[in-house]
């Protein structure tokens, strides 16, 4: 992650009043579900 991306993440987390980790989890939850093949 670049310094610029880090600052974007930090700024958005502050704006939303959440931790950076919580913001990343929130963003990840919006991604399509992975196709996990067993075996």
């Amino acid at each position: 992650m670049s310094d610029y991306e880090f600052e974007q993440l930090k700024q958005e987390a502050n704006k939303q009043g959440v931790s950076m980790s919580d913001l990343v989890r929130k963003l990840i939850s919006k991604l399509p579900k992975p196709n996990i093949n067993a075996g």
Side-chain angles (χ1 to χ4, degrees), residues 27-35:
L27 294 170
I28 289 171
S29 73
K30 294 180 181 183
L31 295 173
K33 297 209 181 294
N35 182 13

Side-chain angles (χ1 to χ4, degrees), residues 1-8:
M1 178 182 306
S2 69
D3 289 342
Y4 178 80
E5 291 166 333
F6 182 84
E7 289 302 320
Q8 284 183 297

Side-chain angles (χ1 to χ4, degrees), residues 19-32:
S19 70
M20 290 173 61
S21 295
D22 285 341
L23 178 58
V24 170
R25 286 184 193 97
K26 181 178 178 181
L27 294 170
I28 289 171
S29 73
K30 294 180 181 183
L31 295 173

